Amino acid sequence: MRLNNSESASEFLLRATRTLKESKLAFDEGDLLYTAIRLYETVENLSKVIMSLYGVYTRSDKGNALALNYVKRSRQLDQKTSSLIEKLQEIEAKLYPSTMIDEASLKTPSVIIRHKEAEILLNQITNYLMRLA
């Protein structure tokens, strides 16, 4: 079975759009933990958009960073794409700890990410999604 890179990238872009909407809704409702988790998923989906466009696929979400590094090393990328990959990797590293928190064990789980930080990341990721759309 041969994958169509463009169709696969479109599917991941659709998923990124959906998870970004969910993160905005959570942010508007004051649920910063869920905002961070959905933003992380959005970054994963945006990473998969780039990987799909270059014909690179991983078996799990945990391989995104390595796969993006592979894309940077093995493909000839323009500066904008290379820069976007680096920014997505930085944001993923910032958000990853929030996905490891057991919400039930914390009295106030939203302290894992501050309101202003969530707002900044939400705006950054929105801009990155628009670049890929």
Side-chain angles (χ1 to χ4, degrees), residues 47 50-51 63-72 85 88-89:
S47 297
I50 295 170
M51 292 185 299
N64 282 353
L66 291 174
L68 284 175
N69 283 335
Y70 174 76
V71 169
K72 282 174 40 179
I85 288 172
L88 288 174
Q89 288 174 316

Side-chain angles (χ1 to χ4, degrees), residues 7 11 13 16 18 35 38-39 47 52 58 60 63 68 73-74 81 87-88 94-95 97 101 106 113 115 117 122 128:
E7 287 179 10
E11 178 62 30
L13 189 60
R18 185 179 308 123
T35 300
R38 283 299 191 231
L39 284 174
S47 297
S52 295
T58 63
S60 75
L68 284 175
R73 285 192 324 273
S74 67
T81 304
K87 290 175 183 176
L88 288 174
K94 284 181 187 177
L95 289 170
I101 300 299
L106 298 174
I113 185 169
H115 184 272
E117 182 182 14
L122 191 58
Y128 299 151

Side-chain angles (χ1 to χ4, degrees), residues 108-119:
T108 55
S110 292
V111 297
I112 195 68
I113 185 169
R114 303 284 184 235
H115 184 272
K116 191 63 179 174
E117 182 182 14
E119 183 178 34

Side-chain angles (χ1 to χ4, degrees), residues 24-131:
K24 286 180 181 180
L25 179 61
F27 180 79
D28 291 342
E29 293 175 351
D31 186 349
L32 298 179
L33 179 63
Y34 196 70
T35 300
I37 290 168
R38 283 299 191 231
L39 284 174
Y40 182 81
E41 292 171 356
T42 304
V43 171
E44 286 181 327
N45 285 316
L46 291 175
S47 297
K48 288 179 182 179
V49 169
I50 295 170
M51 292 185 299
S52 295
L53 290 173
Y54 289 95
V56 175
Y57 299 90
T58 63
R59 294 183 74 154
S60 75
D61 292 336
K62 305 305 175 217
N64 282 353
L66 291 174
L68 284 175
N69 283 335
Y70 174 76
V71 169
K72 282 174 40 179
R73 285 192 324 273
S74 67
R75 306 297 197 270
Q76 289 192 330
L77 305 175
D78 58 32
Q79 182 57 37
K80 285 174 71 173
T81 304
S82 184
S83 176
L84 178 59
I85 288 172
E86 290 171 10
K87 290 175 183 176
L88 288 174
Q89 288 174 316
E90 288 173 17
I91 291 173
E92 185 176 22
K94 284 181 187 177
L95 289 170
Y96 181 72
S98 68
T99 66
M100 305 305 292
I101 300 299
D102 178 9
E103 187 175 348
S105 68
L106 298 174
K107 186 173 184 181
T108 55
S110 292
V111 297
I112 195 68
I113 185 169
R114 303 284 184 235
H115 184 272
K116 191 63 179 174
E117 182 182 14
E119 183 178 34
I120 290 168
L121 291 172
L122 191 58
N123 290 333
Q124 286 177 334
I125 294 169
T126 299
N127 289 334
Y128 299 151
L129 187 138
M130 294 304 159
R131 284 190 204 173

